[in-house]
C-alpha cells in the first residue's frame, strides 16, 4: 500500500479540519507526575528569581490555627512558635524576589505550557517549571511591578485574568502567592528546607534568602564572594574536549563565604508520640508521618536489639542534651559559617549546523556559543576555617551539610539547583548549559544529540577539575618549599615538615578522587576520563616523602629501605590506600621502588659499614625470594662503595662490591682468618644464611683458593699470621684437617700440592715440609724429624699431605742395601768370610721385603711405585734341582720375575731367588707383598704363543702342553688366541708347515676351495686356538665366483657344500651368487647358449619339466645341490610373468618349439588364469598390450580368397563355401572378439578373430582386443508406423510371457534385464519395414539386410521392439530380444528363445520344460502379494473398529461427567446460602486483578493445584482470587437480584463441548478411497466409494474464530494461548484442568514449527467449545485448536498413554497430523482461497519437508519425552481484532 499517496489524498479530499483539544487539568497532572520531587515548587521559583537577576528572595509560610487546639495565652515567643509548628497547618506560601519585573513576553510564556525560555543563557528549557505550583495550589496568583495575573479553572480548562495595577499602588518586587488546596497540609521540616535553601544558594546568582513562618524569621542565608584570581593553564594541557565541541578558554578562582543565622527551632525534634492521628500528626501536631513513624520505631527496635555499643549510648545522650538546650529558647539564633572555593571556566562551544538544529529542536533554544562551568571545592584551609567558625549548636544542626561536597552523598551536579546526579568525587559541578531530564533531577544521557552535548560538558568539567587539582597541588608545594626554606627545590625537606602538611595533602587528594556516580555511572566515567587524559604527559602531581612531585618521580615503598636509601621520594604510608594512589597504581603511573632507583641513589654516595650490612642483608633476602635477578644484583654491586673506618676494628679500608666474588662460610672456615680481597669480610655476611649469599651471585670461599691466598700473601702479613709460625700454622692445619674429607679429589690434590713445598709441619727439629716429617710411631732411626702432637688434626689428613709412617726408600736403600755395613757394625762385618759376605749380599733383598711387608700399610704410594720399578731382585741361577742356591748377576724388576714353580722353570722363565723355602712363599706376608709389587705366577698367552712359534721343538711342545694344562686355571679363556697372526699350528698334508689360527679350518670338505685343514690331532683343542670349523662364507663365495666348477661332478660337490651352509648365506651373498655364472654347461642338455661355458642361477631352472623343458634351460645336480641353486635364484618352474615375457620377447620361437597351435593356446590359457598377477606388473602388462604374441584365426574361402571382396546380398546364399582356417600371431589391437555371429558370417574373410573360448576372450579383451560389435557400424532404417497396433499389444504380451519362462532357466549372472524390467520398460511397435546396414570401421566392406524385427534401447526411456506387419521371422525377434535380455548372447540362446516364441506351452512341456512349475511359481508369488495386501487391509479395518469403540467410550464418559457437573451447578445456584458478612447490594464494585506476569504459576503452586487435579476448596479460592465467588459467576450480585445478568450457563454456553469427528471415520474414508482405485484397462466399472460425512471438512481452517478470542496465557515455552470469548467455564478452571496438556501441545507445535524453520512467535493455540475449525491462518499467524488435540491425541501422548502404543509412536502420530495441518495453513500465506494452486503449495510443503519430518519422527521414537515440568502460564490481555 502506498501510504504517501494515501496521506496526500486525505489532505486533499478529507473532511473538514478539526483542532486537537487538550484536557489541561489532565495534562498538568501528568506533567507533575514526572515532575514530582522534594521542594520542586521552591526550586522553580528560586530559579525564576535568579533568571530575573534578583539578589534577594523572601519565602514565607502563612499558617492556619488549629480548630481542635486553641492558641495558648502566652507572651513567650518560644512557646508560641512551638504551638504554631505543632498544631497549625499551611494556608499560603508567599515567595518574593527583588529581580526585574515581568515583561510582556514573560507574562505570555507564563500562561503557555511547554514553551520554555528561549534565552540560551537561561536554564529553563521545557516551559513546565512554573506549573509545579499546581501540585499544592489550585489557583496561583502572580504580581510583578504594576501588573498581576490570576489563574482559575473552568471544568478541566485553565484560564487567566491579567490586572493592570494603578500607578503608585504596585511593588517593584515580584511575588508568587500560592494558596494551599488542602487546609490540612502540615508544616514542613524546617531543617530540611533550610538545608535545601543553603544548597540552592551555592551556585545561583542570589545573595540573600530569608525563610519566614508567619512573623518569625526562621533562617537568614547570606553569600559573600571575594575577588577572583586567575588560574593559569599550564603548557601541555589539551583544553579541547574529545569530540572537539568545547574548549576551556580561561579559568578564575574565588573564595566564597556563606553565613547562616537561624533559630534554634530549626534543629528541634519533637518527642515521638504514642499514637498517630489520621492526619499524620502526633498529639502535638508537628509534621509527623505515620508510615515514617512506624518505620522509625521498627528500625529503632532492630538497631537497639542488634547493637548496644557505648558509642551509640553516648550519641543518644548528646542528642538529648542538645534538644534540652534548644527547648530553652526556640527563638534564640545561632550563626554558622562555611568557606568555599569556586573555580569558574569560560567555555567556548563549536557545533555544526545540523547539531545545533537538532539540539534546538530538543531544547527549544539554540546552543550557547559561550558558557560557564563552575566547580565548588572545599580546600583544607577553608574546611579548617569553617570548622573553627561553627558553634556547638551549629555543629549538630548542620544547615550546610549538603553544601560541602566532602559530606555524603558527595559532590553533585547543579543545573542552577542541585540534581540527584552525583559527580563521584568531592566536588560540586555547576553547569547551567547541561540539558537535564524534564523533571530536572538528572542529566539526559539518552537522546542522541542531547547525550553528545552533555557528555562533552562533562568532559570539559574533567579538564577544569584537573587544572584545579594541579593548582591546588602547586599551592601545597609552595607551602612545603617555604617551610623547608630551599627555594622550591624540595629535596631537603625534613620528615617533620612532610608530616605537618600531610592532612592537607590527604584532604586535597581525597577531594579529587573519583568513585562511581549515581544514579548514572557514566557521569563520573566521562569526567574522570577527561581528568586523566587532559595532560599530554603521563603523570600527575602527588604528595611524597620529598614534597609534591610528578608521579613519574615518586615510588611506592613496599618495605622500609631507610637503612641505606634516604633520598628516593615515596608515597607516605598513610596515603597508600587513597583512591587516587590506587588508580595511579592501576594505570601504571605509580610503581614500586625498583633496583634502578636504588642504584641511582647508591651510586651517588659511599656507604658506611652499618649501611653496607643492611644493604647486604636486604639484597640477600630479595635475591633469595626471586625479587631481584642476577643482572639487577650485579648492577647494584657495580656502583656500591663502602668506607670502613678504623674505629670499626678493620684498620680503615674501602670495599667495592663490584670486585667481590665470594663470601666466608663458617661451615668450612672460621670467621677470624684472613680472606682475599675478592671475598666480602665476614662482619658483613655474618648472620645471613649461605643460600642468601649464594643468591647474590657469590660463591663460598673454598679451601683451595683460600689456602693459595694465605701462601701467596704469607710474606706480607704480620708475624703472628705467618705460616711458619707454630701457633698460626697449627690453626691452619686444624682448619684444613676439618675440611679435608669434604673436599673432592681435585681439591685434595691441590691442597697436598700447595702444602708440599711449605715448611708448615711443627717437629722436634723445627718447621719441616710434610714429606720430611714422620709420625711418632716411626722409630727405625733416632735422628728422624718426628711430628709434635697436633690436637684436632686428623691422622688421615696428615698422611695424605705427606707425613710419613715409614722410612723413605732412599734411606733404606742407602742404609740396608749398600755394600757397606749399615745396621751391623764394621767389626761384625769384618769377621764374616767372603762366601758369607756374598750370601749376605744376595739375601739382603729378602731382609728388605720382610721389613717392608711388616709396614706395608704405611708405605706411601710413590714408594710402592718406586719399589715396583726398582731392579733390585736376582733370579735363580743354580743347577737343575738346586736353582735357588745361586742368584743371577743381573738384577730384575719384581714384575720381570716369576714365583718359584717347576712348570715355570721348564719354560725357561726367570724365577725370583728366595731360598730353600720358596715353595711356601705365597703363604707368607712377604709373598703377598711381592704379589702387590708385581711378582708373576704364570706367563701370559702372548708369551706362550711366542714360545709355541719358536723354532725350538722342545720349547714349542712344552709351552703347548703348559697351555693345554693351565688353560682354565690361568684363565686363558679370556684371551682370543685366534686373533694372533703368529704361525704356530700344524696342518694336514703339509709336514713342517705352521699357520696362524685364522689360516686353517676343521671341515675337510672346504679343502677343495683351497683352504688349510688343522692337524687332526689338535681338533679336540681347536676351540682353544680359535680355529673355525668352516671358512667364512664370504670368502667361500668369492672363491666360488673366482674359480667356478668345471664340470657337473665338481659342481655337485661345490653346490652340496654350500647347501650344508645355507644358514650363513645372507642377502649380499645371494645377490653375488645370483648374478655370477657358476653353473657349468658341461654335461647338461643345454644348447641355447653358444660360446658360453657357465650360466647364472637365475638363467636356468632346477629339476625336470615335461612341459617347459624345450623352452627354458633346466639343470639337475641332485636334490641337495639343487637346494643351493634354488637359494641363489633358480626356480623349479617359470612364473607366469617369465612366461609372459618369453611370449612377448620370442613368440615365433615359442610357437616353433611347441609346434602346435593347441599347445600355444594352452600356454595363453595359463596366462589368462593369472591375469590379476600380470596386471600388477605394469611394465610386463604394457609390453603384452603392444606385442604380437596373441593367436588369432582367419577363415579363407576356397572359392575366392580376395579379402577386398565387396560383400553384398550374395553372402546370404544357402550354399556353403569351403574355408581354410589359418592362425597368426598378432597384437591385441589387431584381433577381434566374436560377439556378433551374424556379422562374423558376413565379414569373416576380413577378420582375424580370437579363440571362441570365454576365458581367452576375456583375456584378449583385457589386453585391449576390440569386440566385433564395436568395429561393426550398424545403421537401422525404419519404415512408417502402421495405424493399427492391436497386434503389437498381443505380441508384447506373448513376448513377456515367454521371456519369463526363458529367463527363469537362464543363469542370473548372464541376465542383463529381467522380466520385471521388461514389463515396465518394453514397448512393441509395428512399422512398415526394417533395414539394417552393417559396415566394418575403417574398411569398405558393408552389407545391407532386410529385417523383420529390431530392438532400439533408449536408456532411461526403456526399449522398443520394432516388428514388421504380417509374418515375420521369429529368429530375428529372438535375436533382438536376447541382445536386450542377456549380457553375453550366443547363437544357442537365439535358437532357444526362438523355440520359446514358436512353440505353445504344451509343446514346451513335451520338450522337457517344466512349464507348470514355472507358472505355479509366478501365480504363487502374485497370490502371496495379494494375501499380504488383504491382511494389511483387515488389520486397518480392525484398528478402525477399535478406534471407534474407544472414541464412543470417551464421548460417553465425557457426557456423563458434564451431566454430573451441570446438576451440581444447578443445586448450588438453587440453594446457595448467604455468607455471613458478605457485601451487600450497595457495596462497591470488587476490584479486578490486573495483569501480572508469572501470576498463575505462583498461584497454582501456593494453592496446591497440580496439573489437572485440584481440590474443590483450592479451586474455589482460585476462582475467588481471579474475580468470582462461584464457579459460574464472576459477579457478587445476589442470585435473587432480578437485574442480575444471565450467566453463560443459561444464555451463551452450549450444553456441552462439541466433539470432533471420529478419526476412525476419517480413516475409513481414506481406506475406501484407496480400495476404489483400479487399473486403467480394468474390466471393472468404477463406482464412487461410500464415505462418512465429516463435519470439519468444510470449515476446518475457517478464520472466523480469530475474531472472537481473548488472550489467556503464555505456555511454558512462550506459545501464546487464546480462548473463545464465549467460553462456558471460568478461565481459571480451564487452565487448572489443562496445564499439562497445553504445555505438551505447545511443545509439539514448536517441534513441528522447527521442521519448517517457522518462528516460534508465529505459532498460537486457541480453544473453542464448538465449531469445525481445526486451525486457521490470521494474517500470517498460525492458530491451532487445542480441542482437537485434546480429543484426538492427548490421552495417547501423555503418560501412561494407551495400551499397545508407545509414547513415542503416539507422538509421531500426533506430529504427523499437526505437521500436515500446519502445511495447509502455511500454504495460505501464498494463496488465500482453497484452489488447486493452494493444494499444489500444500503438497510441495509436505514433499519438500518430508525428510526433515522423518528425522524428527525418528527422534520421537528414540527419545520419548517425559512429563513437562516447571509449568509457567502467564495471564494476559484479550487479543485485539485484526
Amino acid at each position: 500500500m502506498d501510504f504517501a499517496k494515501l496521506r496526500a489524498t486525505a489532505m486533499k479530499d478529507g473532511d473538514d479540519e478539526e483542532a486537537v483539544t487538550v484536557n489541561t487539568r489532565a495534562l498538568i497532572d501528568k506533567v507533575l507526575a514526572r515532575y514530582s520531587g522534594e521542594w520542586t515548587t521552591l526550586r522553580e521559583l528560586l530559579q525564576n528569581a535568579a533568571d530575573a537577576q534578583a539578589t534577594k528572595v523572601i519565602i514565607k509560610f502563612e499558617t492556619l490555627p488549629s480548630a481542635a487546639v486553641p492558641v495558648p495565652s502566652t507572651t513567650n515567643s518560644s512557646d508560641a512558635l512551638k504551638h504554631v509548628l505543632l498544631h497549625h497547618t499551611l494556608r499560603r506560601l508567599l515567595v518574593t524576589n527583588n529581580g526585574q519585573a515581568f515583561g510582556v513576553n514573560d507574562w505570555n510564556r507564563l500562561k503557555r505550557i511547554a514553551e520554555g525560555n528561549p534565552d540560551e543563557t537561561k536554564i529553563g528549557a521545557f516551559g513546565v517549571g512554573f506549573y509545579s505550583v499546581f501540585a499544592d495550589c489550585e489557583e496561583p496568583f502572580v504580581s510583578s511591578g504594576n501588573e498581576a495575573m490570576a489563574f482559575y479553572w473552568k471544568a478541566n480548562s485553565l484560564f487567566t485574568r491579567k490586572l493592570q495595577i494603578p500607578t503608585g499602588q504596585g511593588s517593584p518586587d515580584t511575588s508568587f502567592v500560592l494558596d494551599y488546596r488542602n487546609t490540612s497540609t502540615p508544616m514542613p521540616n524546617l531543617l530540611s528546607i533550610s538545608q535545601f535553601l543553603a544548597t540552592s544558594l551555592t551556585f545561583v546568582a542570589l545573595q540573600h534568602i530569608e525563610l519566614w513562618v508567619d512573623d518569625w524569621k526562621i533562617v537568614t542565608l547570606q553569600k559573600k564572594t571575594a575577588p577572583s584570581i586567575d588560574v593559569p593553564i599550564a603548557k601541555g594541557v589539551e583544553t579541547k574536549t574529545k569530540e572537539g565541541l568545547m574548549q576551556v578558554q580561561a579559568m578564575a578562582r574565588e573564595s566564597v563565604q556563606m553565613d547562616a543565622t537561624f533559630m534554634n527551632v530549626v534543629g528541634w525534634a519533637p518527642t515521638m508520640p504514642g499514637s498517630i492521628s489520621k492526619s499524620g500528626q502526633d498529639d502535638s501536631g508537628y509534621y509527623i508521618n505515620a508510615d515514617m513513624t512506624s518505620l522509625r520505631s521498627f528500625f529503632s527496635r532492630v538497631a537497639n536489639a542488634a547493637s548496644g555499643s557505648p558509642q551509640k549510648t553516648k550519641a543518644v545522650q548528646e542528642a538529648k542534651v542538645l534538644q534540652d538546650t534548644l527547648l530553652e529558647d526556640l527563638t534564640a539564633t545561632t550563626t554558622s559559617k562555611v568557606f568555599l572555593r569556586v573555580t569558574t571556566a569560560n567555555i567556548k562551544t563549536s557545533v555544526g549546523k545540523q547539531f545545533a538544529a537538532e539540539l534546538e529542536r530538543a531544547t527549544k533554544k539554540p546552543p550557547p556559543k559561550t558558557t560557564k562551568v563552575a566547580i565548588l571545592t572545599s580546600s583544607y584551609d577553608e574546611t579548617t576555617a569553617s570548622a573553627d567558625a561553627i558553634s556547638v549548636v551549629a555543629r549538630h544542626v548542620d544547615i550546610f551539610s549538603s553544601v560541602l561536597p566532602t559530606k555524603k552523598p558527595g559532590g553533585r551536579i547543579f543545573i542552577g539547583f542541585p540534581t540527584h546526579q552525583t559527580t563521584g568525587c568531592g566536588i560540586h559541578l555547576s553547569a547551567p548549559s547541561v540539558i537535564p531530564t524534564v523533571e530536572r533531577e538528572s542529566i539526559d544521557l539518552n537522546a542522541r544529540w542531547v547525550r553528545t552535548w552533555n557528555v562533552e560538558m562533562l568532559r570539559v568539567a574533567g579538564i577544569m577539575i584537573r587544572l584545579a587539582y594541579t593548582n591546588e597541588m602547586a599551592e601545597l608545594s609552595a607551602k612545603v618549599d617555604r617551610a623547608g626554606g630551599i627555594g622550591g627545590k624540595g629535596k631537603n625537606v625534613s620528615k617533620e615538615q612532610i608530616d605537618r602538611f600531610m592532612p592537607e595533602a590527604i584532604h586535597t587528594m581525597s577531594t579529587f578522587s573519583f568513585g562511581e556516580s549515581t544514579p548514572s555511572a557514566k557521569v563520573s566515567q566521562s569526567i574522570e576520563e577527561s581528568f586523566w587524559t587532559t595532560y599530554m604527559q603521563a603523570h600527575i602531581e602527588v604528595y611524597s616523602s620529598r614534597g609534591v612531585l610528578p608521579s613519574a618521580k615518586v615510588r611506592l615503598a613496599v618495605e622500609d629501605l631507610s637503612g641505606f636509601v634516604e633520598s628516593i621520594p615515596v608515597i607516605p604510608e598513610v596515603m597508600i590506600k587513597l583512591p587516587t594512589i590506587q588508580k595511579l597504581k592501576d594505570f601504571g603511573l605509580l610503581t614500586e621502588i625498583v633496583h634502578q632507583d636504588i642504584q641511582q641513589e647508591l651510586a651517588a654516595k659511599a656507604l658506611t659499614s652499618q649501611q653496607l650490612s643492611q644493604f647486604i642483608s636486604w639484597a640477600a633476602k630479595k635475591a633469595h625470594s626471586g625479587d631481584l635477578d642476577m643482572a639487577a644484583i650485579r648492577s647494584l654491586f657495580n656502583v656500591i662503595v663502602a668506607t670502613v673506618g678504623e674505629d670499626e676494628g678493620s684498620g680503615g679500608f674501602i670495599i667495592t662490591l663490584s670486585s667481590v666474588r665470594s663470601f666466608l662460610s663458617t661451615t668450612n672456615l672460621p670467621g677470624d682468618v684472613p680472606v682475599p680481597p675478592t671475598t666480602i669480610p665476614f662482619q658483613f655476611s655474618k648472620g645471613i644464611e649461605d643460600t642468601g649469599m649464594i643468591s647474590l651471585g657469590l660463591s663460598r670461599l673454598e679451601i683451595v683458593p683460600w689456602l693459595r691466598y694465605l701462601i701467596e700473601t704469607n710474606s706480607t702479613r704480620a708475624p703472628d699470621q705467618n705460616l711458619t709460625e707454630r701457633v698460626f700454622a697449627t690453626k691452619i692445619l686444624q682448619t684444613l684437617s676439618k675440611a679435608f674429607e669434604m673436599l673432592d679429589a681435585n681439591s685434595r690434590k691441590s691442597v697436598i700440592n700447595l702444602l708440599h713445598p711449605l715448611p708448615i709441619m711443627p717437629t722436634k727439629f723445627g718447621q719441616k715440609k710434610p714429606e720430611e716429617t714422620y709420625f711418632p710411631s716411626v722409630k727405625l732411626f733416632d735422628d728422624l724429624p718426628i711430628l709434635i702432637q697436633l690436637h684436632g688434626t686428623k691422622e688421615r689428613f696428615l698422611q695424605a699431605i705427606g707425613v710419613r709412617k715409614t722410612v723413605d726408600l732412599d734411606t733404606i736403600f742407602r742404609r740396608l742395601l749398600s755394600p757397606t755395613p749399615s745396621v751391623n757394625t764394621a767389626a761384625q762385618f769384618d769377621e764374616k768370610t767372603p762366601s758369607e759376605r756374598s750370601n749376605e749380599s744376595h739375601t739382603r733383598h729378602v731382609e728388605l721385603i720382610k721389613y717392608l711387608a711388616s709396614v706395608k700399610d704405611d708405605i706411601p704410594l710413590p714408594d710402592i711405585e718406586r719399589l715396583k720399578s726398582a731392579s733390585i731382585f736376582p733370579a735363580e741361577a743354580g743347577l737343575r734341582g738346586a736353582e735357588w742356591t745361586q742368584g743371577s748377576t743381573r738384577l730384575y724388576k719384581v714384575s720381570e720375575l716369576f714365583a718359584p714353580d717347576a712348570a715355570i722353570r721348564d719354560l725357561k722363565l726367570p724365577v725370583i731367588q728366595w731360598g730353600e723355602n720358596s715353595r711356601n712363599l705365597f703363604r707368607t706376608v712377604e709373598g703377598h707383598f711381592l704379589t702387590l709389587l708385581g711378582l708373576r705366577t704364570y706367563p701370559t698367552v702372548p708369551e706362550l704363543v711366542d714360545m709355541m712359534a719358536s723354532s725350538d721343538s722342545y720349547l714349542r711342545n712344552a709351552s703347548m702342553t703348559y697351555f693345554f694344562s693351565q688353560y682354565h686355571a690361568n684363565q686363558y679363556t679370556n684371551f682370543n688366541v685366534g686373533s694372533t697372526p703368529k704361525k704356530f699350528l700344524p696342518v694336514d698334508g703339509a709336514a713342517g708347515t705352521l699357520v696362524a689360527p685364522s689360516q686353517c679350518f676343521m671341515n675337510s670338505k672346504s679343502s677343495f676351495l683351497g683352504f688349510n685343514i688343522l692337524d687332526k690331532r689338535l681338533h679336540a683343542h681347536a676351540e682353544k686356538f680359535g680355529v673355525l670349523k668352516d671358512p667364512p662364507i664370504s670368502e667361500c663365495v668369492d672363491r666360488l665366483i673366482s674359480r667356478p666348477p668345471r664340470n657337473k661332478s665338481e659342481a655337485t660337490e661345490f653346490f652340496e657344500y654350500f647347501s650344508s651352509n645355507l644358514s650363513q648365506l645372507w642377502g649380499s651373498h645371494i645377490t653375488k651368487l645370483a648374478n655370477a655364472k657358476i653353473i657349468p654347461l658341461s654335461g647338461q642338455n643345454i644348447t641355447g647358449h653358444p660360446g658360453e661355458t657357465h650360466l647364472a642361477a637365475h638363467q636356468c631352472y632346477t629339476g625336470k619339466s615335461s612341459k617347459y623343458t624345450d623352452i627354458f634351460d633346466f639343470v639337475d645336480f641332485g636334490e641337495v645341490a639343487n637346494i643351493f641353486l634354488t637359494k641363489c635364484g633358480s626356480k623349479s618352474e617359470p612364473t607366469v610373468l617369465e612366461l609372459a615375457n618369453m611370449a612377448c620377447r620370442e613368440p615365433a620361437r615359442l610357437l616353433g618349439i611347441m609346434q602346435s597351435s593347441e599347445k600355444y593356446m594352452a600356454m595363453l590359457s595359463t596366462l589368462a588364469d593369472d591375469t590379476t598377477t600380470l596386471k600388477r606388473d605394469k611394465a610386463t602388462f604394457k609390453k603384452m598390450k603392444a606385442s604380437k604374441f596373441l593367436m588369432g584365426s582367419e577363415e579363407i574361402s576356397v572359392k575366392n580368397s580376395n579379402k577386398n571382396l565387396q560383400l553384398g546380398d550374395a553372402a546370404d546364399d544357402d550354399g556353403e563355401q569351403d574355408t581354410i582356417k589359418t592362425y597368426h600371431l598378432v597384437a591385441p589391437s589387431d584381433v577381434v572378439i566374436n560377439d556378433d555371429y551374424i556379422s562374423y558370417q558376413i565379414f569373416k574373410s576380413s577378420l582375424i578373430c580370437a579363440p571362441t573360448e570365454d576365458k581367452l576372450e576375456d583375456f584378449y579383451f583385457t589386453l585391449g582386443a576390440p569386440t566385433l560389435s564395436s568395429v561393426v557400424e550398424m545403421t537401422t532404417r525404419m519404415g512408417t508406423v502402421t495405424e493399427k497396433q492391436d497386434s503389437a499389444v498381443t505380441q508384447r504380451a506373448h513376448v513377456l510371457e515367454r521371456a519369463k519362462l526363458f529367463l527363469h532357466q537362464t543363469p542370473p549372472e548372464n541376465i542383463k534385464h529381467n522380466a520385471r524390467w521388461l514389463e515396465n520398460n518394453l514397448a512393441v511397435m509395428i512399422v512398415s519395414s526394417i533395414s539394417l546396414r552393417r559396415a566394418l570401421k575403417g574398411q569398405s566392406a558393408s552389407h545391407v539386410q532386410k529385417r523383420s524385427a529390431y530392438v532400439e534401447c533408449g536408456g532411461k526411456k526403456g526399449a522398443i521392439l520394432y516388428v514388421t506387419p504380417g509374418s515375420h521371422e521369429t529368429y530375428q525377434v529372438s535375436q533382438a530380444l536376447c541382445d536386450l535380455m542377456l549380457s553375453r548372447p550366443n547363437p544357442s540362446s537365439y535358437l532357444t528363445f526362438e523355440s520359446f516364441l514358436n512353440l505353445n506351452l504344451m509343446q514346451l512341456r513335451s520338450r522337457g520344460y517344466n512349464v507348470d512349475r514355472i507358472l505355479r511359481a509366478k501365480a504363487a508369488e502374485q497370490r502371496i502379494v495379494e494375501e499380504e495386501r488383504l491382511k494389511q487391509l483387515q488389520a486397518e479395518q480392525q484398528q478402525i473398529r477399535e478406534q471407534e469403540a474407544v472414541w464412543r467410550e470417551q464421548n460417553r464418559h465425557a457426557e456423563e461427567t458434564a451431566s454430573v457437573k451441570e446438576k451440581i451447578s444447578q443445586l448450588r445456584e438453587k440453594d446457595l446460602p448467604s455468607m455471613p458478612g458478605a457485601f451487600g447490594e450497595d457495596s462497591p464494585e470488587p476490584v479486578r486483578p490486573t495483569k501480572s506476569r508469572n501470576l498463575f504459576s505462583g498461584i497454582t503452586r501456593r494453592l496446591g493445584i497440580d496439573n489437572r487435579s485440584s481440590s474443590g476448596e483450592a479451586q474455589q479460592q482460585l476462582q475467588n482470587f481471579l474475580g468470582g465467588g462461584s464457579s459460574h459467576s464472576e459477579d457478587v450480585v445476589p442470585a435473587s437480584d432480578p437485574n442480575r445478568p444471565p450467566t453463560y450457563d443459561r444464555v451463551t454456553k452450549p450444553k456441552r463441548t462439541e466433539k470432533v469427528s471420529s478419526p476412525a471415520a476419517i480413516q475409513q474414508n481414506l481406506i475406501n478411497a484407496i480400495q476404489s482405485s483400479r487399473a486403467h484397462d480394468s474390466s471393472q466399472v468404477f463406482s464412487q466409494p461410500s464415505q462418512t460425512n465429516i463435519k470439519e471438512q468444510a470449515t476446518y481452517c475457517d478464520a472466523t474464530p480469530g475474531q472472537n478470542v481473548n488472550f489467556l496465557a503464555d505456555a511454558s515455552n512462550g506459545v501464546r494461548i487464546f480462548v473463545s470469548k464465549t467460553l462456558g467455564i471460568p478461565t481459571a478452571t480451564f487452565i487448572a484442568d489443562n496445564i499439562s496438556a497445553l504445555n505438551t501441545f505447545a511443545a509439539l507445535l514448536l517441534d513441528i514449527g522447527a521442521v519448517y524453520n517457522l518462528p516460534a512467535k508465529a505459532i498460537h493455540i486457541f480453544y473453542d467449545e464448538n465449531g469445525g475449525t481445526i486451525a486457521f491462518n490470521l494474517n500470517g499467524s498460525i492458530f491451532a485448536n487445542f480441542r482437537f488435540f485434546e480429543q484426538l491425541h492427548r490421552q495417547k501422548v501423555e503418560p501412561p498413554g494407551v495400551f499397545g502404543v508407545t509414547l513415542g509412536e503416539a507422538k509421531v502420530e500426533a506430529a504427523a497430523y499437526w505437521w500436515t495441518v500446519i502445511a495447509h495453513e502455511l500454504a495460505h500465506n501464498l494463496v488465500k482461497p482453497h484452489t488447486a494452486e493452494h493444494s499444489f503449495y500444500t503438497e510441495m510443503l509436505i514433499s519438500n519437508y518430508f525428510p526433515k519430518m522423518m528425522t524428527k519422527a525418528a527422534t520421537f521414537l528414540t527419545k520419548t519425552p517425559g512429563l513437562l515440568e516447571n509449568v509457567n502460564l502467564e495471564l494476559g490481555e484479550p487479543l485485539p481484532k485484526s
Side-chain angles (χ1 to χ4, degrees), residues 600-613:
Q600 184 177 358
E601 179 173 352
L602 295 181
K605 66 179 181 180
L607 300 182
T608 64
S609 59
Q610 182 180 1
Q611 290 176 330
L612 179 61
S613 296

Side-chain angles (χ1 to χ4, degrees), residues 437-668:
T437 55
V438 175
E439 64 274 13
R440 293 182 61 179
E441 294 296 344
S442 38
I443 299 177
D444 190 350
L445 294 176
N446 295 319
R448 174 186 172 189
W449 306 96
V450 173
R451 179 180 64 247
T452 303
W453 173 269
N454 284 342
V455 170
E456 285 289 273
M457 290 295 295
L458 295 174
R459 288 171 179 159
V460 83
I463 298 174
M464 284 183 58
I465 294 174
R466 178 62 183 274
L467 292 173
Y469 173 79
T470 302
N471 187 56
E472 295 265 0
M473 296 303 288
E475 289 184 356
L476 178 60
S477 179
K479 292 179 182 179
V480 175
D481 291 346
R482 286 194 298 272
I486 57 170
K489 295 184 179 180
K491 292 185 179 179
N492 295 326
V493 182
S494 65
K495 187 175 184 302
E496 291 75 14
Q497 292 168 343
I498 293 296
D499 293 341
R500 172 185 168 189
F501 294 99
M502 190 76 69
E504 183 174 353
I506 294 175
H507 172 83
T508 302
M509 297 189 72
S510 299
T511 299
F512 290 88
S513 297
F514 288 91
E516 184 175 356
S517 58
T518 57
S520 174
K522 294 181 180 179
V523 172
S524 61
Q525 293 171 3
S526 300
I527 297 174
E528 186 178 9
E529 175 192 6
S530 183
F531 176 86
W532 290 108
T533 59
T534 294
Y535 274 72
M536 298 178 183
Q537 297 84 5
H539 62 77
I540 191 171
E541 300 79 6
V542 294
Y543 193 71
S544 71
S545 60
R546 310 300 296 169
V548 178
L549 292 174
S551 59
K553 297 181 179 180
V554 182
R555 299 291 181 265
L556 287 170
V558 295
E559 56 186 329
D560 185 15
L561 303 177
S562 59
F564 56 92
V565 174
E566 297 173 349
S567 61
I568 297 179
V570 297
I571 299 295
E573 185 176 358
V574 295
M575 300 179 66
I576 292 293
K577 294 185 178 179
L578 291 179
T580 302
I581 301 300
Q582 293 300 318
K583 287 194 177 179
L584 287 172
K585 256 181 92 175
D586 296 339
F587 295 158
L589 301 180
L590 197 61
T591 59
E592 297 177 356
I593 294 178
V594 294
H595 73 273
Q596 290 88 347
D597 303 323
I598 300 175
Q599 177 183 350
Q600 184 177 358
E601 179 173 352
L602 295 181
K605 66 179 181 180
L607 300 182
T608 64
S609 59
Q610 182 180 1
Q611 290 176 330
L612 179 61
S613 296
Q614 293 185 7
F615 168 77
I616 294 296
S617 178
W618 170 82
K621 292 179 182 177
K622 286 293 182 182
H624 184 61
S625 62
D627 295 336
L628 281 179
D629 56 15
M630 191 54 61
I633 294 170
R634 297 317 307 174
S635 64
L636 291 174
F637 275 31
N638 289 337
V639 301
I640 292 179
V641 177
T643 303
V644 180
E646 296 181 0
D647 55 342
E648 296 175 350
S650 301
F653 59 92
I654 296 175
I655 298 176
T656 56
L657 291 188
S658 59
S659 62
V660 173
R661 294 292 180 268
S662 60
F663 68 97
L664 187 148
S665 175
T666 56
T667 58
N668 56 356

Side-chain angles (χ1 to χ4, degrees), residues 123 296 315 403 1000 1199 1255:
I123 294 176
R296 285 178 179 172
V403 173
C1000 61
K1199 290 183 179 181
K1255 179 168 61 176

Side-chain angles (χ1 to χ4, degrees), residues 804-845:
R804 306 184 62 85
K805 281 191 172 184
T806 61
V807 181
D808 61 285
L809 292 180
D810 289 338
T811 302
I812 293 175
F813 292 162
R814 185 173 66 252
R815 297 188 181 188
L816 294 181
L817 298 180
S818 62
T820 58
S822 57
V823 179
N824 302 319
T825 62
Q828 293 172 336
F829 183 77
D830 292 338
E831 292 177 356
K832 295 187 178 183
T833 63
S835 93
E836 290 176 343
R837 293 176 185 175
S838 176
N839 291 334
E840 183 179 351
S841 63
H842 286 292
T843 60
R844 286 178 182 175
H845 68 279

Side-chain angles (χ1 to χ4, degrees), residues 859-877:
I859 300 175
L861 290 178
D863 289 353
I864 295 293
E865 297 300 323
R866 188 174 178 183
L867 282 173
K868 290 180 179 180
S869 61
S871 300
I872 60 175
F873 300 96
E876 292 180 345

Side-chain angles (χ1 to χ4, degrees), residues 934-1000:
L935 182 65
R936 301 172 62 187
T937 58
Y938 56 85
T940 62
V941 174
E943 293 173 333
L944 289 175
V945 169
D946 291 339
M947 297 178 193
M948 288 185 284
S950 173
S951 59
D952 186 352
S953 60
Y954 173 79
L955 182 59
R956 191 164 62 246
N957 293 331
S959 60
M960 191 169 291
T961 302
Y962 182 84
F963 177 75
F964 295 153
S965 63
Q966 300 298 325
Y967 182 77
H968 294 286
N970 294 341
Q971 296 183 348
Y972 292 153
T973 56
N974 297 330
F975 187 84
N976 183 13
V977 182
S979 62
T980 181
K982 298 291 182 67
K983 298 180 179 181
F984 64 92
L985 293 178
V987 296
D988 281 341
T993 302
L994 298 179
V995 296
S998 60
Q999 295 175 345
C1000 61

